Every structure is written in structure tokens, then in C-alpha cells.
Amino acid sequence: MTVGATTFKQLHLQGVRREFDAFTALKGLDLTIERGEFIALLGPSGCGKTTALNCIAGLLPVSGGRIMLDDRRVDVLRPEERGFGMVFQNYALFPHMTVRKNIGFGLRMRGVPKPELEKRVDAALAAVRLESQAEKLPGQLSGGQQQRVAIARAIVVEPPLVLMDEPLSNLDAKLRLEMRQEIRRIHQSLGSTTIYVTHDQEEALSLADRIVVLRDGAIRQVGTPAELYALPAHLDVADFMGFRNRVNGELVGMEGEDALLNIEGTVIRGRMRAASASKAAVAAIRPDDLEPTGTDSGIPVRVEAVEYRGRGFHGVGVTASGTELHFASPYPLQRGAAVRLGADAGRVLVFGDAR
Amino acid sequence: MSAVLEGRAEGPTLRQRLAARGIDGATLLVLPCVALILGLFIYPFLYGLMLSFEPKDGSLFGNYARFFGDPFLYGTIFKTLRLAFPVTLLNLLIAIPIAFRVRLMRRQRLLTTLLVLPITLGTVLVAEGMLFYFGPQGWFNRALMAAGLLSTPISVLNGYWGVFISLVLTGFPFTFLLTLSYVTGIDPSLENAAATLGAGPAARFREVFLPLLIPGLAITFCLSFVQAYSVLPSAVLVGDPAGATRVISIAAYQAAFEEYDYSMASAIAMIMGAVQLLVVVAVLGCRSLFYRGPAAGAKG
Ligand SMILES: Nc1ncnc2c1ncn2[C@@H]1O[C@H](COP(=O)(O)OP(=O)(O)OP(=O)(O)O)[C@@H](O)[C@H]1O
Ligand SMILES: [Mg+2]
């Protein structure tokens, strides 16, 4: 009955747009997703992640563009005809049904016979570790438990495409890690395709085959976790990938692949990521890659705060012009001490003003 | 250490213990309400109840015996039910699909205002309007005759259907607005969730909306029913107050202001109240068979 229930090779988004009155929430998304891929949709709050999922699931009509499964057009179908599974950001559990009934709902709608239904619901309950809560109503569960019911309800029907909207946002660190593995395991055992929305770069890096970074309703970069982690194409993508330090500087030259950037009188080397028309540029560095040099090269800072982080120390320093820099240090430092900070050229990304 | 133990021994303060039982400062706000109910409702009710046991013939249950002995009197109960039940049910059945459509509209306020109008106008004005509209020279008959559907004017008024129509007109806005508020109270993402799980429109209504709506619909039914049950003006103005629409409030009115038998009138009022209570209790009793929690999907 459902078109989506049959398998597909590729899901294409072709210029998918969505407008809310005068506001454009999606500015033409183009993306091809292979069957079996795990895609993480990453982006700041309000960038259109939920809107994109709703358009794919059929809960919001698109204002323009097309959604295709291979060569079949699906954006004209109703959500129940598409048969994509969805985990809602606000869970959307049926408040009048027990956990068991909630999870069995999709199977019941598909006319699965009772014995098989019970068996599959039990398996889903076990997968999200909620066996003991099966007879409760959603209102009697904690936020994290509700979230797991929502996951179980979506995957138990084994949809070919699963859309998850921040499914782990309400869990504690340990359970989150467990559920992350469980989601990955389910994804692989079902051979389904998953689009997974998250704010959390670590989650995206560890789960996804490819990461799509969204910003203001447009795709900024698509790539494997390794690509995005090492070489983000834009400053805001770098921001998302943990490049917490951004320092303004002046381009003073190139040396092979390396750009030479003058930061408050000190010249540092970095990889050029986006060209610059003028001399102004920004260096982006992860705190973990920035360390005291112990020599008289590097950016001079005054230490403001030092925190113990188990494997080492995390410091906050301030440059002469007042820019805050977060850095790692293998040894403790005194507050107020003067140190010089440096990083490998390969770990410093230089973004010109065409960022 | 010892301070902790002392704190334990003292236990919670009186205020905390009261709060645990749901009594706090805000509870005092109920007092004026209680006074009002006592003065305006309980006292007249008890007074009427006493009065109904002091009939003219002196026996304790004389009024009640007379009421249930005289088909002209006890028949009014069924005549009223015959009006109130179908009218309330019809109103509810019309209100639900319209509320489902209106829920998705943007200009809800305009519609709500339009619908509140008949409520504020009241039964009498609506009944008068009907007298003109459905009269022998009214638009209704003239339109039907012009269309060749009728050769002589039919009389809708002065009978069951006149009162029926009038009750539908005046009762519908109330029923509808109440229903609408219950329908819009259901989190739309529940419908979305059901749709992504493969439920078509009919299944979504049956499995998600209806179970969540039933408690609200039961209350709507009760309130609308009580309203229709105490019908008086339209039963007189557009009905047949001596025959088909001799409703129970007419019987009470006649006892009080035509026979000047206040004791009998009180007895009829008590019977009327008891019938209403019976229906309301039955409907609300069925309600407890259904889920009655909040109609939103999540709390997190
Ligand atoms: N019904 C609506 N009417 C008007 N604007 C809307 C509507 N729904 C969403 N928007 C706007 O569209 C933009 C994208 O919203 P969306 O819910 O997709 O964000 P998101 O990326 O999921 O954010 P978050 O991570 O906070 O959930 C937001 O700026 C939001 O204000
Ligand atoms: Mg969202």
C-alpha cells in the first residue's frame, strides 16, 4: 500500500523549499542520499532541521522543489502513503495508550497479526530497555523514557527511511551512549536509511556516514565525519566542529600550502580554507590543538583561568587586545602567568573574508 | 550531624503537611465561591425541597403521588426528553466535523464572534425570528412554493419541529464553541505521528482523536442537554404548549403561576432536577471508562 514500504536505491531532494508566509525556512535543499546511509543533519537552533524532516515525512507540504525515491515522486503523497518512520522532537506519544500500545500502533495500522505484533513489540521494548514500563501511560514516564518509547514506536515497523529529530536530547550521558550504539545497531540490522537531526557534533561524528551542515535554511557543507572534522569549508561549520578559538589577523603571505597570518604582532602558519580578497582573515583553532610552546614563539597571552580536566589542564588566556583563547596544557599554570601559545600549521584553519 | 537528625525528628511543618494535602493560601480563594453557592443555590434548593413535601392535601408525598399519577403531568418528562436528547445529539454530531475543519483555519476569531451572537440574542429573539421566517407568508414557505415544491404553506411552527429547530439554533453555537475548544486542545503532532505510522484519516479520528475527545464531548453533551432540557420560551412561542411540546418547565410554570400551588411547582422542579441529574451522572459515569489525562503528547 505504501510507496515507501517498497525499497529504494536513492532519495533525492531537488531544490526543496519551504516558506512560512514571508519567511523562508528552507532555501532549496539539494541532496542525494543512498540507501542504507546514516545521515546526520547538523545545525544551530532554528536553521530548519525540523522543517526539513517534516517536508520529507510529508507533514509539511513543500513550497517548491521535489522529493524523489529513485524516479518516483513522493512529495505529492500523504504521510501515511510514504511510510517513513519519524521520531518527533516532542515525542508525540499517544497519551491514552500504554507504552505497549503506542509501540504496537504502527504494526496494528499495517494489519500485522496479533502474535507477530506482540513479538515485535517485545523486541522493540527490549532494544530501548523499557520492558518493565510496558503497561504505563506516557504521562507516567520520565522525559528520557518517553523519548525511548518514541524511538521504539518509529523503528518497530521497520520503515525503509527513518527520520529522527534529536532523539537523544533528553538522556543522561551514559544512556545516551548506549542508545547511540543501539540506534546504530538497529540501523545496520534493518538495513534502513536514517536521517538523524542533532545539535551535538560528537553524536554526528560518531554515528553518521555523512554529515550535512545546515544554516539559515541552506546546506553549508556535506561530507564524511573525517572530512568535516579536519577540513570544514566555512567558518560557521568550523564553529560546529569544535573550533572554539577564532582570532582575527592579517594575511602577510603564503609559503607553499601554508598561509602566514599576523596576529597581534606574531606570525602563525595555517591552512587556507576560504580565499580572501582583502588581507583580513580569521584563524580557527580547537582548544585541544593550542598549547603553550615553552619558547618565545607563539601568541602571547595572560592566563585567566585553569581547570583540571583529568588528562591535563584546560586554560583560558587573554591576548593583549582582549581576545579570549582556550587552550590545553599538560601541566598546571598559575593564574596571571604569561605564556605563549602555538599550534601545528595543519591544525590552524585560515578563513578569508569569502567565508 | 546532630542538626540533621534534629531536623528529621521535627518533621515537616504544619504548612508543609497541609500543602501536601492540597491545602494552601490559594484554597482560601474558594471561600467566596462557597458562600455564593450556599446562598444562591443550596439554600433555595433545600427550601424548595422542603416546600415540595408540604402539599395542599397535607400528606408528605402528595405532590409526587399526584405528578406520577397523572399522565398529563408525568408525560411532560418524556416530552422534554424527546426534545432535549435528539437536539443535543444532533448539535454535537454537527459540531464535531465543523470543529475539525475550523481547527485548521486562521480566522477563527471572526467565526467565533459570529457564533456567539445567537447566544447573546437569546431564545426569545430567535423564536420571534422563526415566527416570521417559517410563517405562512415567511421566506421559507414562499421559497418552497416558488420552487414548486409546495402548493400550500406547511406549518413548521406550533409543534415539535418548531421547538426542535429553535433549540438547534440556540444550542448549536454553545455546543460548537465548547467542542472546538476541546478539539483544538489536542496536540496536532499526535495526528502527525499517527499519520507517519500509517494511519489514514478515518483511523486517526477513531484511534487518536475520539478517545481523547470523549471526556470533553461528555461534558459538552451534559451542558447542552441541561440547557435544552429546561427549555421554556421556545416551547411556548414556536411550539404546541398544550400538546406535543408541553415540556416539564411548562408544567412547573402552570402549577406556580396559574394554580398558585408553589408546593406542587417545587415538586415538579425537584423531579426535573432529578431527571437531569440522572442523565448527567449516567453520561459522566460512562466517561470514566475512558482516558481522562491531558491531551498533549509530551511533558518533557
Ligand atoms: N509554523 C511556522 N510558522 C512560521 N515560522 C516557522 C514555523 N515553523 C518553523 N518556523 C521557522 O522556521 C525556522 C526553522 O524552524 P525549525 O523548527 O525547522 O528549526 P530547527 O532547526 O528544528 O531548530 P531546533 O534545533 O531548535 O529544533 C525557524 O526560524 C522557525 O521560526
Ligand atoms: Mg527542531
Side-chain angles (χ1 to χ4, degrees):
Chain A
M1 171 201 117
T2 55
V3 170
T6 60
T7 53
F8 63 95
K9 286 200 187 67
Q10 287 183 324
L11 171 76
H12 304 277
L13 305 187
Q14 298 173 346
V16 171
R17 294 172 55 77
R18 172 67 207 190
E19 281 143 30
F20 293 108
D21 299 324
F23 178 76
T24 309
L26 294 179
K27 298 172 185 161
L29 303 187
D30 288 300
L31 186 66
T32 296
I33 297 172
E34 303 289 332
R35 170 156 184 238
E37 257 192 317
F38 199 115
I39 299 284
L41 205 54
L42 195 63
S45 186
C47 69
K49 304 184 295 293
T50 301
T51 309
L53 284 199
N54 283 339
C55 287
I56 297 174
L59 302 172
L60 276 178
V62 296
S63 317
R66 292 192 298 182
I67 303 173
M68 313 283 288
L69 278 183
D70 298 331
D71 48 10
R72 284 162 302 167
R73 195 164 170 188
V74 293
D75 56 284
V76 290
L77 298 179
R78 287 178 295 163
E80 62 265 29
E81 295 167 330
R82 299 188 198 187
F84 301 157
M86 178 138 177
V87 179
F88 289 79
Q89 194 166 12
N90 68 351
Y91 323 146
L93 301 179
F94 306 124
H96 57 296
M97 295 184 198
T98 61
V99 168
R100 178 176 287 282
K101 290 251 169 62
N102 259 287
I103 297 178
F105 185 84
L107 295 173
R108 199 151 56 81
M109 290 300 119
R110 284 166 168 72
V112 174
K114 186 114 175 131
E116 190 196 336
L117 184 148
E118 293 297 330
K119 218 175 68 204
R120 283 169 71 176
V121 170
D122 283 331
L125 278 166
V128 296
R129 295 176 183 63
L130 284 175
E131 296 99 324
S132 58
Q133 315 287 335
E135 300 311 321
K136 282 193 182 170
L137 291 175
Q140 301 165 323
L141 299 180
S142 75
Q145 290 169 333
Q146 293 185 18
Q147 208 155 32
R148 284 180 281 155
V149 177
I151 296 173
R153 186 179 66 177
I155 55 164
V156 73
V157 294
E158 306 187 356
L161 177 66
V162 188
L163 310 166
M164 298 195 178
D165 203 344
E166 304 190 32
L168 304 183
S169 60
N170 249 321
L171 306 184
D172 64 60
K174 181 168 168 289
L175 195 54
R176 188 184 218 139
L177 227 66
E178 279 175 30
M179 292 309 301
R180 205 196 271 175
Q181 285 167 357
E182 193 59 40
I183 288 177
R184 184 75 212 185
R185 191 189 65 73
I186 292 166
H187 166 83
Q188 274 158 352
S189 69
L190 294 186
S192 60
T193 310
T194 305
I195 304 181
Y196 185 101
V197 165
T198 176
H199 278 132
D200 183 348
Q201 56 120 349
E202 199 191 313
E203 216 165 88
L205 290 172
S206 66
L207 276 172
D209 299 320
R210 277 197 300 159
I211 299 178
V212 177
V213 181
L214 216 60
R215 187 189 158 92
D216 292 338
I219 291 179
R220 289 294 267 171
Q221 192 175 0
V222 183
T224 64
E227 280 166 12
L228 262 82
Y229 188 80
L231 291 175
H234 301 276
L235 192 54
D236 50 76
V237 179
D239 210 27
F240 245 104
M241 287 294 139
F243 288 82
R244 195 164 167 199
N245 296 310
R246 307 148 148 229
V247 217
N248 292 315
E250 195 191 344
L251 278 176
V252 289
M254 296 291 290
E255 222 178 79
E257 273 187 39
D258 292 353
L260 299 178
L261 195 64
N262 179 352
I263 294 170
E264 297 178 22
T266 314
V267 174
I268 64 164
R269 287 163 176 273
R271 291 278 134 80
M272 202 66 198
R273 289 302 296 149
S276 191
S278 70
K279 294 218 165 287
V282 177
I285 314 165
R286 284 199 178 84
D288 282 347
D289 295 330
L290 193 62
E291 289 194 330
T293 53
T295 63
D296 53 3
S297 68
I299 310 164
V301 295
R302 192 168 40 76
V303 177
E304 280 280 290
V306 183
E307 280 173 15
Y308 179 56
R309 285 281 167 92
R311 296 185 63 182
F313 294 84
H314 176 92
V316 184
V318 178
T319 65
S321 70
T323 308
E324 245 185 29
L325 289 178
H326 296 259
F327 62 94
S329 168
Y331 46 83
L333 289 164
Q334 286 296 318
R335 217 179 147 236
V339 291
R340 284 175 168 259
L341 302 174
D344 277 353
R347 302 292 191 149
V348 178
L349 303 183
V350 179
F351 294 92
D353 51 12
R355 53 188 173 245
Chain B
M1 186 69 201
S2 67
V4 172
L5 286 179
E6 266 167 35
R8 282 257 177 81
E10 277 173 23
T13 64
L14 177 66
R15 202 161 112 207
Q16 286 171 320
R17 271 178 290 153
L18 284 176
R21 284 159 193 268
I23 301 170
D24 56 19
T27 317
L28 293 177
L29 296 176
V30 176
L31 287 183
C33 219
V34 172
L36 212 66
I37 291 177
L38 280 178
L40 290 180
F41 182 71
I42 305 283
Y43 171 72
F45 174 77
L46 290 178
Y47 183 81
L49 191 65
M50 300 304 291
L51 197 63
S52 74
F53 291 117
E54 296 162 4
K56 283 182 173 162
D57 63 8
S59 67
L60 193 60
F61 293 106
N63 283 329
Y64 293 93
R66 191 180 139 212
F67 186 90
F68 289 107
D70 182 354
F72 192 58
L73 284 175
Y74 71 69
T76 58
I77 293 184
F78 306 106
K79 279 180 187 159
T80 322
L81 284 178
R82 227 163 59 90
L83 270 173
F85 250 121
V87 163
T88 312
L89 218 55
L90 181 71
N91 270 339
L92 209 53
L93 289 183
I94 307 175
I96 293 172
I98 300 183
F100 266 85
R101 182 66 196 83
V102 169
R103 149 187 93 109
L104 308 171
M105 292 184 1
R106 293 197 176 176
R107 294 260 170 76
Q108 282 188 19
R109 173 160 298 171
L110 181 70
L111 186 85
T112 339
T113 317
L114 279 178
L115 281 167
V116 170
L117 274 176
I119 300 184
T120 48
L121 290 181
T123 340
V124 177
L125 213 68
V126 171
E128 290 205 331
M130 282 178 60
L131 284 177
F132 292 114
Y133 182 77
F134 288 108
Q137 285 303 309
W139 284 61
F140 179 74
N141 274 316
R142 281 204 287 186
L144 285 185
M145 285 201 291
L149 294 170
L150 286 179
S151 48
T152 52
I154 55 159
S155 156
V156 180
L157 303 170
N158 309 111
Y160 179 82
W161 291 107
V163 184
F164 189 95
I165 294 170
S166 145
L167 282 180
V168 168
L169 288 180
T170 48
F172 177 75
F174 179 78
T175 315
F176 172 76
L177 291 177
L178 219 55
T179 309
L180 181 65
S181 76
Y182 283 113
V183 168
T184 47
I186 293 181
D187 183 353
S189 71
L190 295 182
E191 185 184 12
N192 289 342
T196 60
L197 289 165
R204 295 201 290 267
F205 180 76
R206 191 181 64 236
E207 303 281 341
V208 178
F209 282 114
L210 199 59
L212 291 174
L213 273 178
I214 278 193
L217 293 183
I219 291 186
T220 310
F221 182 90
C222 288
L223 293 177
S224 309
F225 173 80
V226 167
Q227 242 186 12
Y229 195 80
S230 42
V231 47
L232 178 65
S234 59
V236 176
L237 290 172
V238 291
D240 172 17
T245 68
R246 189 177 139 81
V247 293
I248 191 162
S249 46
I250 292 182
Y253 174 86
Q254 285 178 342
F257 300 109
E258 287 173 17
E259 300 167 20
Y260 297 105
D261 185 348
Y262 289 111
S263 172
M264 182 66 195
S266 296
I268 298 178
M270 288 300 142
I271 292 166
M272 184 173 162
V275 173
Q276 288 181 2
L277 198 66
L278 222 63
V279 172
V280 169
V281 166
V283 172
L284 293 187
C286 294
R287 184 180 70 127
S288 64
L289 301 176
F290 293 89
Y291 169 82
R292 262 162 51 193
K299 65 177 175 186

